[in-house]
Amino acid sequence: MKKTFLLIIILVSNLYTMMAQEDPYLWLEEVDGKKALEFVDTQNKATIDVLMQQKDYQDIYSKSLAIINATDRIAFPAIYGNYIYNFWQDKEHVRGIWRRTTKTSYNSPNPVWETLLDIDALSKQDNVKWVYKAAQGLYPKYDRFLVSLSKGGGDAVVVKEFDATTKTFIKDGFNMPESKCSISYLDANNLIVGTDFGDGSMTTSGYPKIVKLWKRGTPLSDAKTIYEGDATDVSDSGYVLRDGLKNYLMVGKGETFYSSKTFIYQNNKLISLAIPDDATISALLNNQLIISLKSDWSINGSTYKQGAVVAANFTSLINGKTELQLIYEPDAFSSINEISSTKNYLLFDILNNVKNELYVYSLSNGKWMKSKVNAPDFGTIGLGSTDEFSDDYYYTFQNFLTPTSLYLANAKSNSSKKVKSLSSYFDANKYKVEQFKMKSKDGEMIPYFVISAKTTVLNGNNPTLLNAYGGFEISEVPFYSGVIGQAWLEKGGIFVLANIRGGGEFGPKWHQAGLKEKRQNIYNDFHGVAEDLIARKITSSQHLGIMGGSNGGLLMGVAFTQRPDLYNAVVCQVPLLDMQRYNKLLAGASWMGEYGDPDTSDWEFIKKYSPYQNVTKDTKYPEVFFMTSTRDDRVHPGHARKMAAKMIDMGHKVYYYENTEGGHGGSSTNEQRAKFYALYYSYLWMKLKV
């Protein structure tokens, strides 16, 4: 029996090897291969030669760059101790500066900033195109930071310890070589690290599987292993949960993108916490571990429903006893968007029919009480930085027509005031926002937003841009964009944002309705929104364009291969497209919890939608615009390269642009971002204008 099973495994492996060898475009997966880069250069030039000559290109570029570089835009705060920290890019600081100011100064109209680290100067000094990624501070003084820098914008980073007092990197401080990693302070002299320690130390997804404690003054090779996961895990990492003056060393065994076993490391041993593998730890406050549920949890004679938030007595949980209290339970139209905490309170940002509401929760006499924050209505609220030493916090508000504003709030008094506001970049009075719903193929009602001029005539001739994502429980919510306002709305376009399944707009169930074998639901939703726009005579297929990136880029690929009749323009950004090989490219294996494993019977449902396998020579497609980045080390640029090459060889006209840096975001500087906007919208106007 074992021999038969082994033979089957070998045959299947050989089959997939043969199938891969049949792909004539595998050479484009060589990221820096000479032939591959020649292809990139040729296609880049052909695209730029056409799109940069469009009459709106320079206007869109100039206005977009002015918006991105505007000195009066909001400098979003990160609170560390007595200071507000911020990373800032503008025309004088192309790669950016990391800076800080006092809280009082920050909340004033004209803060006085102190530059800590100039990335442009550092790049010149090191002759490296550094991209700032993050900075983590050392509690409680926050006089030292772990600064993460990327070479060109990828996810792999170099980590250097920085002294905020002397404004220099610490010569003999912690310094970690380039890798996709997890790293944080345990205390002043110890780090929790996961990195590439050599052979066998990384998962098949390309992330660390070993967690170590690294003591100051010792080489990284001497760090003490406290946990080692499996190669098939997505990522295994250690981190600190802090509850006032107490801190706890936690370890997460990330078995899939959506499931993780949780441990606490105490007295040199790991203790497993008995919480659901698919639950998320959202906060720790006053010995209450706040847990968000992705599925029903039946325990101690009670069932806590999917999407609910519960509190567990942390001390009891460590000792093997589960004592739970229900804090929040969603209805059919609501879900948790974000959870955060101040020194004494919890903050719940709740989505209700794709509009946000903000609440303060507190534990009083053994019961959880809530108060609604008097935040603006009918828009998107985003929780910002919180102050762990007080009950102050920041939040933002915006919608499609209201520029983003930043509010300083206090959870104890449940008060807030506006302290910053983005400038208006277009006349909002000319436009209206409508929310429609359409019935998808299986009967589910799918909402979407339409932003259009009040004078719009429903004659089917309106250039319309439809955007969606549809995956990873990421909610698409109303947002303000000066670029969309100037480059699209003011020139006569209509913008549409669809809340298709796969996202998190209506909780875990909305996401899970599009997982793996159910993924066609997502694509049916998207096609259905397009059809509804046409049925309402908002637009027609001739004037309908679509745009999406990453998983949204996959959505674009499926959209134009399944329904090429519906769309006349497609902007396909940093996409997944070859779903037969996605799990073998860079971080692809980490997403098998979302898409399935193409090396198993899952291929039977994946192959039905995989764009790369479904594009044909004899079908008429829209002239797709593919965009990617050479330095994207998350979604391999080979996806876009291979799809473009295959379509070109089939005789289909496409546009292609690959930035040489920028990582998964596609760009590293404001000039690069403005160029992308100008290319996208010039292409869309070229294809969709009346």
Side-chain angles (χ1 to χ4, degrees), residues 220-237:
L220 180 59
S221 58
D222 287 351
K224 175 185 176 182
T225 298
I226 62 172
Y227 180 79
E228 182 168 353
D230 300 313
T232 54
D233 292 343
V234 169
S235 178
D236 302 307
S237 60

Side-chain angles (χ1 to χ4, degrees), residues 21-85:
Q21 290 172 345
E22 291 172 1
D23 184 350
Y25 302 101
L26 282 179
W27 54 275
L28 285 164
E29 293 181 4
E30 298 176 24
V31 176
D32 294 311
K34 181 180 179 182
K35 187 179 176 184
L37 292 179
E38 287 174 353
F39 170 84
V40 169
D41 289 342
T42 299
Q43 299 308 317
N44 279 1
K45 184 178 186 304
T47 294
I48 288 173
D49 285 349
V50 173
L51 297 184
M52 289 185 70
Q53 300 307 312
Q54 298 302 306
K55 69 180 184 67
D56 288 323
Y57 177 87
Q58 192 57 48
D59 178 65
I60 295 171
Y61 174 82
S62 298
K63 289 180 177 178
S64 297
L65 185 58
I67 290 170
I68 301 170
N69 274 337
T71 57
D72 63 344
R73 70 188 192 276
I74 299 173
F76 291 102
I79 306 174
Y80 285 107
N82 296 320
Y83 290 95
I84 300 287
Y85 291 77

Side-chain angles (χ1 to χ4, degrees), residues 252-300:
K253 174 182 170 61
E255 295 180 320
T256 74
F257 206 83
Y258 303 111
S259 61
S260 177
K261 286 183 168 53
T262 304
F263 305 88
I264 184 169
Y265 187 75
Q266 287 188 336
N267 301 319
N268 293 315
K269 66 178 181 178
L270 287 170
I271 302 169
S272 179
L273 298 185
I275 61 177
D277 289 354
D278 63 348
T280 301
I281 294 175
S282 298
L284 177 60
L285 180 69
N286 298 330
N287 200 42
Q288 298 293 306
L289 189 69
I290 311 305
I291 305 168
S292 299
L293 303 181
K294 305 299 182 185
S295 57
D296 290 354
W297 187 11
S298 295
I299 188 170
N300 300 336

Side-chain angles (χ1 to χ4, degrees), residues 121-156:
L122 184 67
S123 296
K124 185 176 181 180
Q125 172 190 303
D126 296 346
N127 195 28
V128 175
K129 292 181 178 179
W130 288 119
V131 176
Y132 173 89
K133 285 291 186 175
Q136 300 180 58
L138 174 59
Y139 174 91
K141 293 183 179 180
Y142 295 108
D143 52 352
R144 292 187 173 189
F145 288 82
L146 299 172
V147 176
S148 297
L149 299 167
S150 166
K151 297 176 181 178
D155 290 347

Side-chain angles (χ1 to χ4, degrees), residues 151-262:
K151 297 176 181 178
D155 290 347
V157 295
V158 170
V159 182
K160 300 180 179 183
E161 193 174 23
F162 187 85
D163 188 321
T165 303
T166 62
K167 304 178 189 176
T168 58
F169 289 110
I170 301 171
K171 183 179 180 181
D172 297 319
F174 291 111
N175 195 330
M176 196 162 71
E178 183 180 28
S179 173
K180 290 185 178 181
C181 64
S182 64
I183 186 166
S184 59
Y185 282 108
L186 176 63
D187 54 41
N189 293 308
N190 294 279
L191 296 188
I192 313 165
V193 296
T195 188
D196 187 347
F197 293 108
D199 291 344
S201 67
M202 304 292 275
T203 68
T204 54
S205 296
Y207 297 100
K209 74 168 190 178
I210 299 174
V211 180
K212 296 191 178 189
L213 285 180
W214 183 13
K215 187 175 182 180
R216 185 179 295 280
T218 65
L220 180 59
S221 58
D222 287 351
K224 175 185 176 182
T225 298
I226 62 172
Y227 180 79
E228 182 168 353
D230 300 313
T232 54
D233 292 343
V234 169
S235 178
D236 302 307
S237 60
Y239 57 97
V240 170
L241 272 181
R242 184 167 290 110
D243 188 12
L245 296 177
K246 298 179 181 178
N247 65 330
Y248 302 91
L249 198 170
M250 311 296 294
V251 171
K253 174 182 170 61
E255 295 180 320
T256 74
F257 206 83
Y258 303 111
S259 61
S260 177
K261 286 183 168 53
T262 304

Side-chain angles (χ1 to χ4, degrees), residues 354 356 378-381 396-405 422 426 433 449 451 465-468 475-485 489 495-499 547 677 681:
V354 206
N356 291 77
F378 305 111
T380 299
I381 295 170
T396 59
F397 177 84
Q398 61 184 312
N399 59 37
F400 293 114
L401 302 179
T402 304
T404 306
S405 292
L422 191 68
F426 59 95
V433 178
F449 294 98
I451 302 89
L465 176 58
L466 168 60
N467 181 261
S475 300
E476 291 286 342
V477 293
F479 63 95
Y480 185 84
S481 170
V483 172
I484 291 176
L489 297 178
F495 182 77
V496 180
L497 184 66
N499 301 115
M547 181 160 64
Y677 288 136
Y681 289 107

Side-chain angles (χ1 to χ4, degrees), residues 305-364:
K305 294 184 179 180
Q306 180 185 55
V309 179
V310 298
N313 183 297
F314 194 43
T315 303
S316 297
L317 192 64
I318 293 170
N319 292 320
K321 186 177 180 180
T322 307
E323 300 173 357
L324 301 178
Q325 277 187 299
L326 179 67
I327 305 178
Y328 165 83
E329 185 173 281
D331 60 25
F333 300 102
S334 65
S335 66
I336 290 291
N337 190 48
E338 293 178 274
I339 295 176
S340 190
S341 63
T342 64
K343 183 179 181 180
N344 299 295
Y345 296 87
L346 292 176
L347 305 170
F348 279 36
D349 182 8
I350 295 173
L351 266 181
N352 192 343
N353 198 25
V354 206
K355 302 175 186 69
N356 291 77
E357 298 171 349
L358 185 58
Y359 292 87
V360 174
Y361 281 79
S362 60
L363 189 60
S364 178

